[in-house]
């Protein structure tokens, strides 16, 4: 009987220990799952564009060695974000503020850019960027300027409400100035480069 008694106690002790171990294991597993499956909260924010702090930059080449560059001021805009992703955006630029800031251009080039044979600011007082998507660090959309549409694909970085748009190139050869030049000038070496490099700093508030 004594042997049976000690045998029974041993089994009971083993079962209790096993149950206790299972409970501890379950608690550890639950804690590990909580560590792994954390609730991800993506913060959504909406901004209006600070037009005084935002700027669009442009650069173009006149021949192989001489370039021109300048700025365009932002008229209005807004954008929304989820985490570090831009979910929607709109931007309008005031084409009456387009200007050349390089030593080769100056006021003469600024006047030319505003003229009817180029941006024709009297007819097209603003240019507008229409947002499509922001994925894998790039922003996609369409730029409408001087009655023409240009596809946009550019690296874009979002930091604390500021969007830095890296340089991207648009081909403006469909604008009247370039079309007329190609019709009048048979020597292609004298043609102006229609590729314009654009970048921007867009500040939200």
């Amino acid at each position: 009987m004594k042997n049976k008694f000690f045998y029974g106690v041993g089994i009971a002790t083993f079962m209790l220990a096993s149950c206790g171990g299972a409970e501890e294991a379950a608690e550890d597993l639950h804690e590990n799952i909580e560590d792994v499956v954390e609730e991800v909260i993506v913060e959504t924010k909406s901004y209006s564009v600070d037009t005084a702090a935002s700027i669009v930059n442009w650069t173009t080449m006149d021949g192989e060695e001489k370039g021109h560059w300048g700025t365009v001021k932002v008229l209005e805009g807004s954008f929304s974000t989820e985490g570090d992703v831009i979910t929607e955006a709109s931007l309008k630029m005031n084409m009456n503020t387009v200007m050349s800031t390089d030593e080769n251009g100056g006021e003469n080039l600024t006047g030319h850019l505003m003229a009817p044979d180029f941006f024709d600011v009297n007819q097209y007082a603003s240019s507008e960027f229409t947002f499509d998507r922001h994925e894998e660090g790039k922003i996609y959309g369409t730029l409408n300027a001087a009655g023409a549409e240009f596809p946009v694909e550019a690296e874009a970085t979002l930091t604390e409400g500021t969007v830095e748009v890296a340089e991207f190139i648009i081909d403006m050869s469909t604008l009247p100035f370039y079309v007329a030049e190609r019709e009048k000038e048979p020597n292609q070496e004298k043609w102006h480069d229609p590729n314009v490099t654009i970048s921007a700093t867009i500040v939200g508030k």
Side-chain angles (χ1 to χ4, degrees):
M1 292 292 294
K2 290 175 69 173
N3 288 338
K4 289 182 178 179
F5 174 77
F6 286 118
Y7 178 72
V9 171
I11 292 176
T13 303
F14 175 77
M15 291 178 66
L16 289 172
S18 298
C19 289
E23 289 176 359
E24 291 177 2
E27 289 178 2
D28 291 341
L29 179 61
H30 181 68
E31 290 176 359
N32 290 334
I33 290 175
E34 285 185 336
D35 290 339
V36 174
V37 187
E38 294 181 354
E39 184 179 0
V40 178
I41 300 175
V42 178
E43 190 173 8
T44 301
K45 294 183 178 181
S46 295
Y47 301 89
S48 58
V49 172
D50 186 339
T51 57
S54 303
I55 196 70
V56 176
N57 307 289
W58 60 267
T59 305
T60 189
M61 297 301 294
D62 184 8
E64 295 182 358
E65 299 179 356
K66 187 172 67 174
H68 298 297
W69 55 87
T71 59
V72 183
K73 292 183 179 180
V74 175
L75 184 62
E76 61 183 22
S78 63
F79 61 95
S80 298
T81 63
E82 288 185 3
D84 59 355
V85 177
I86 302 167
T87 55
E88 57 184 28
S90 64
L91 189 70
K92 189 174 288 187
M93 288 143 283
N94 182 357
M95 297 310 295
N96 284 287
T97 67
V98 62
M99 62 182 300
S100 169
T101 58
D102 66 278
E103 65 276 10
N104 299 317
E107 293 183 1
N108 288 335
L109 180 56
T110 295
H112 172 62
L113 293 173
M114 293 184 177
D117 63 354
F118 207 86
F119 284 118
D120 194 2
V121 298
N122 287 330
Q123 183 175 357
Y124 305 103
S126 63
S127 293
E128 187 170 0
F129 169 74
T130 303
F131 175 80
D132 181 22
R133 66 191 188 279
H134 180 211
E135 60 183 21
E136 297 183 356
K138 285 189 175 183
I139 193 169
Y140 298 82
T142 303
L143 175 64
N144 190 306
E149 293 186 346
F150 309 97
V152 173
E153 177 183 340
E155 298 284 345
T157 304
L158 175 65
T159 307
E160 297 181 352
T162 296
V163 182
E164 292 287 351
V165 182
E167 291 184 344
F168 64 95
I169 296 174
I170 59 173
D171 179 2
M172 306 191 78
S173 59
T174 57
L175 292 187
F177 169 76
Y178 294 104
V179 173
E181 181 182 53
R182 281 153 178 69
E183 291 175 349
K184 297 177 181 177
E185 178 55 65
N187 187 353
Q188 295 186 16
E189 293 182 358
K190 294 184 179 181
W191 290 357
H192 288 78
D193 188 350
N195 293 320
V196 178
T197 301
I198 296 176
S199 64
T201 299
I202 307 301
V203 181
K205 61 179 181 179

